[in-house]
Structure formats: C-alpha cells, structure tokens
C-alpha cells in the first residue's frame, strides 16, 4: 500500500475557524476523513505543527519511507530555507499545496522557498488541492533516463 504524508504548518490547525472567507468553514481533521474515503488504497499519515523544527523533524523521520509528501507549510513557505533543505534532503517526492490563491494576495505570499524542491504546486483550489496532490503522488513514478 502506498503511503502519503500530509504536512500542515502553522495556523492550519485553526482551519474552519480561521478567516473562513479565505480558508473556508471546514476543519482539516474533518476533511481528512473525505480524503481517506476517496483513497482507501492509500495509507495517509497526517502531521500538523506550528513549529518549524517539528515540521523538519517529521520530514526527516518519514521522508525516506513514504511514497510522497503533500506539504502546506503555511507562512513558513515564504520564509523557510530550512524546510526547503529538508525537502531536498529526503527521497520522497513532494507537492506544495496552498488553500488560498497566494498570487492574488499580498506580495510577500508570492514567493515560496519550497516550490523549487517540489514536483509541483497547487494553489487557490481550497481543500481540493490536497486530494489532487494525493492523486498525483499515488501514481508518481521515477522515470529513469
Ligand atoms: C496558506 C497561504 C500562506 O500564505 C498563509 O501564511 C497560510 C496558508 C494557504 O494555504 O493558502 O497560513 O499556505
């Protein structure tokens, strides 16, 4: 069974309560049930932390074993070279997800340190972005040239 790690960064524990006009009314824990139902053949691991070092530790811990990482690093996306380095260090392919369309928001949200370390980026599609990322990673294969 494929294993996919979903990582959410700071303030994403408040989904459903936090700025609902931007991030919606649904908590992530509730949405996770939907993803689990959509992908019964995938073993999903979920980790959320408000602390940069804990996010890095989790990438190190599971990033050599899982088949893919879906990461929404929240505001650390725009600041953290350390999380970018962690994604480079491990073998699992990663997809970066943002619930909101960061490019339609403040200019400080337009740059991501993580994008270059990811296979792709999904922004602005709400929580659906996570399931699209899982779907991609489920079928991801390293193409050996
Ligand atoms: C976010 C966008 C970030 O700019 C912001 O800091 C977040 C959430 C998103 O999912 O849209 O915390 O990553």
């Amino acid at each position: 069974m494929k294993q996919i790690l979903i990582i959410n960064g700071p303030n994403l524990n408040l989904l459903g309560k936090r700025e609902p006009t931007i991030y919606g009314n649904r908590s992530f824990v509730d949405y996770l049930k939907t993803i689990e139902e959509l992908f019964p053949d995938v073993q999903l691991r979920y980790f959320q932390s408000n602390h940069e070092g804990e996010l890095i530790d989790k990438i190190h811990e599971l990033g050599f074993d899982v088949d893919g990482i879906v990461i929404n690093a929240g505001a650390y996306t725009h600041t953290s070279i350390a999380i970018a380095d962690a994604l480079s260090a491990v073998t699992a392919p990663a997809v970066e997800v943002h619930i909101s369309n960061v490019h339609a928001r403040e200019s400080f949200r337009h740059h991501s340190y993580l994008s270059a370390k990811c296979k792709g980026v999904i922004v602005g599609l709400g929580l659906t972005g996570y399931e699209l990322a899982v779907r991609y990673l489920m079928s991801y294969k390293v193409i050996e040239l």
Side-chain angles (χ1 to χ4, degrees):
M1 208 190 232
K2 290 235 176 189
Q3 277 194 60
I4 308 279
L5 170 64
I6 300 177
I7 297 184
N8 272 342
N11 301 306
L12 292 165
N13 54 313
L14 294 182
L15 281 182
K17 295 183 188 158
R18 170 195 187 197
E19 299 180 271
T21 53
I22 298 176
Y23 299 111
N25 294 307
R26 200 158 176 200
S27 77
F28 197 81
V29 174
D30 182 48
Y31 172 64
L32 206 51
K33 286 185 230 141
T34 302
I35 312 190
E36 279 163 355
E37 281 165 19
L38 283 171
F39 303 105
D41 297 334
V42 175
Q43 192 188 346
L44 290 171
R45 313 277 300 257
Y46 174 59
F47 182 73
Q48 189 279 329
S49 175
N50 295 319
H51 305 278
E52 187 174 15
E54 287 185 3
L55 298 169
I56 293 166
D57 286 345
K58 190 53 74 176
I59 293 168
H60 291 180
E61 182 193 330
L62 295 179
F64 292 94
D65 298 327
V66 294
D67 298 288
I69 300 173
V70 178
I71 183 161
N72 182 350
Y76 287 140
T77 305
H78 318 298
T79 61
S80 181
I81 296 169
I83 294 177
D85 281 352
L87 290 173
S88 290
V90 300
T91 50
V95 173
E96 177 181 347
V97 169
H98 298 286
I99 296 163
S100 64
N101 181 353
V102 284
H103 300 292
R105 299 181 65 194
E106 303 96 321
S107 58
F108 63 82
R109 295 185 204 277
H110 297 178
H111 177 259
S112 165
Y113 281 103
L114 311 189
S115 300
K117 313 298 179 186
C118 291
K119 297 294 167 197
V121 182
I122 301 172
V123 304
L125 304 185
L127 292 172
T128 308
Y130 290 87
E131 55 201 70
L132 296 173
V134 171
R135 187 173 298 285
Y136 170 78
L137 289 168
M138 269 173 67
S139 56
Y140 178 80
K141 286 199 182 65
V142 178
I143 298 165
E144 310 235 10
L145 297 174

